[in-house]
Each structure stands twice: as C-alpha cells, then as structure tokens.
Amino acid sequence: MTASTYQYVDLPDASVVTTRALLTARENITDTVAARAMMCIHGGAGFGKTLAVNTCLHALEPGEDVRKITFRARPTARAVRYELFTALDLAGEPPRHPSEFDRLLKTALAERPRTFLVDEAQWLNGEAFEYFRYLWDEPSTQLAIIFVGGEGCHTVLRREPMLSLRIFIWQHFTRLTPTRSSTSSLCSTRSGPMPTPMTSPSPTATQPTATSAPGLS
C-alpha cells in the first residue's frame, strides 16, 4: 500500500490526527494480524474507517505482507476468486474450473503469512463472505482478514452464525464531532473463537472502549 491510497481527497500538507478510534483500531488490527484472525470495522460513509485501517496497516509493513481488495459492486464467489488472484500477483492465467482455482489460491496463501484488507465490504453478500471464511478455515493458509465497510457488512456477518462466530473483533465507527474529538461512546467488541481453524469458540468478551473517528489536519 502507498500513502496515496489512505484518503479519497488530495489535501496538501495534511496529516493524520490521532484520535481514540485510531488508537483502538491500531490495537485491534495488531492483535488480529498477530492472531491470524478476522475482524470487522464498520460504520457510516466518510467516518474515517479506510483512512484509519490503511494508516495502521502501513505501520506493520514491510514485515507484514498486506494485500488490499476493494469491491465496487456486489461480487459473486467467482469474482472474489479473480480479485484474490490479482491481489496475490499470481502468474499465468486464472484457472477456469472452481476446484482448480481454489487449490491454486490455497497453495499461494500457504506460502507465508498475509493480511487482506477487504474494503467496501458492504457490497459482499453471504456467498462472498463465505468464500473468505472457506479460505481462512483451511489449516494450511496463514491469513488475517480485515473487513471494512458500511453497516451492511456488519448486518450480513451477524446474520450468518458460521461467519459471525469467526469474527475476532468488531469495531464500530461513528462521525467525529468537535465535542467528541477526545471522547466518544463507541465500542470495540472481541468475540468468537480464538482464530485457530476448527477449534471450539472461546467465551465472548466485550471490552467497551471510548473512541472517535480519525481526522486530518
């Protein structure tokens, strides 16, 4: 990732303001990557989710292999396969048969630890989320996945128990206001199983944390 991907507007001499949401996101993302888990950061458009996640992931590079995928339309599992093929910079032509495609992706993902940032995840339906779960559940893959999107992605993930139970951390962003530049009522929640595929869920733990959206100055 490069700094040009951090924000959608080019603001000369802008710098990131460290808010409680950014600090919480940094801690949550660091824990998720270390555990090779999945997390969901959700909230309204323009609340700083993508900026915060890109900033936090950049701090983990180059030691962490971070790959970003952004969806602009509602993809099928087939489309997700092609996006992963491109994001991984795999050589040759994509396989035509789904089973061959899956085998190729799982082999590539088993080579070394990687972190996927899945942005605009509100476009994903249950089938697309399920495909990410399928790859993450594979014992040989070494994946951390961070879903970032509007409230739609949170709704879909919560609706599917197989997916919801595998989300290690949920973090909700709301709009930053002048009176909440240093305090807020947002929370991050840790739940689901510890991220070792095929293990039993651990007890749910909720950790309320005061946060606010990151800003620019």
Side-chain angles (χ1 to χ4, degrees):
M1 296 189 304
T2 63
S4 62
T5 66
Y6 288 4
Q7 58 189 26
Y8 295 108
V9 272
D10 185 14
L11 302 175
D13 302 320
S15 60
V16 176
V17 174
T18 301
T19 63
R20 299 189 72 175
L22 183 59
L23 293 174
T24 300
R26 182 178 300 161
E27 179 182 352
N28 288 340
I29 289 169
T30 300
D31 290 348
T32 298
V33 171
R36 294 294 144 196
M38 294 192 288
M39 73 172 290
C40 175
I41 293 182
H42 60 101
F47 290 178
K49 303 180 301 296
T50 298
L51 172 63
V53 174
N54 281 330
T55 300
C56 296
L57 287 175
H58 179 66
L60 300 179
E61 296 175 311
E64 182 67 24
D65 185 358
V66 178
R67 304 299 173 107
K68 181 177 180 179
I69 304 172
T70 302
F71 293 100
R72 301 297 183 188
R74 201 166 297 280
T76 61
R78 181 173 181 270
V80 173
R81 289 186 181 95
Y82 277 91
E83 290 291 342
L84 290 171
F85 182 91
T86 301
L88 291 168
D89 298 320
L90 298 180
E93 294 295 321
R96 294 185 177 182
H97 197 280
S99 62
E100 294 177 2
F101 214 148
D102 293 347
R103 187 160 52 249
L104 174 66
L105 291 175
K106 287 188 286 188
T107 299
L109 292 172
E111 292 175 353
R112 61 181 179 275
R114 288 187 174 91
T115 293
F116 277 115
L117 164 56
V118 182
D119 203 6
E120 301 296 338
Q122 71 272 8
W123 289 106
L124 301 181
N125 57 20
E127 177 191 19
F129 277 121
E130 177 64 23
Y131 190 72
F132 280 106
R133 183 206 62 78
Y134 164 74
L135 293 175
W136 183 83
D137 269 354
E138 172 62 35
S140 64
T141 61
Q142 305 175 67
L143 274 178
I145 304 176
I146 302 168
F147 296 110
V148 181
E151 303 297 1
C153 70
H154 172 268
T155 301
V156 174
L157 284 168
R158 283 295 195 189
R159 187 187 302 140
E160 302 290 339
M162 288 286 288
L163 296 170
S164 181
L165 286 173
R166 283 165 171 76
I167 299 298
F168 185 44
I169 300 174
W170 305 85
Q171 184 173 349
H172 186 217
F173 273 61
T174 61
R175 187 184 303 278
L176 178 67
T177 63
T179 57
R180 282 173 37 204
S181 59
S182 61
T183 60
S184 180
S185 60
L186 295 183
C187 68
S188 67
T189 305
R190 301 189 176 213
S191 62
M194 289 302 292
T196 302
M198 313 310 290
T199 60
S200 300
S202 63
T204 298
T206 302
Q207 299 180 337
T209 308
T211 60
S212 59
L216 297 171
S217 67

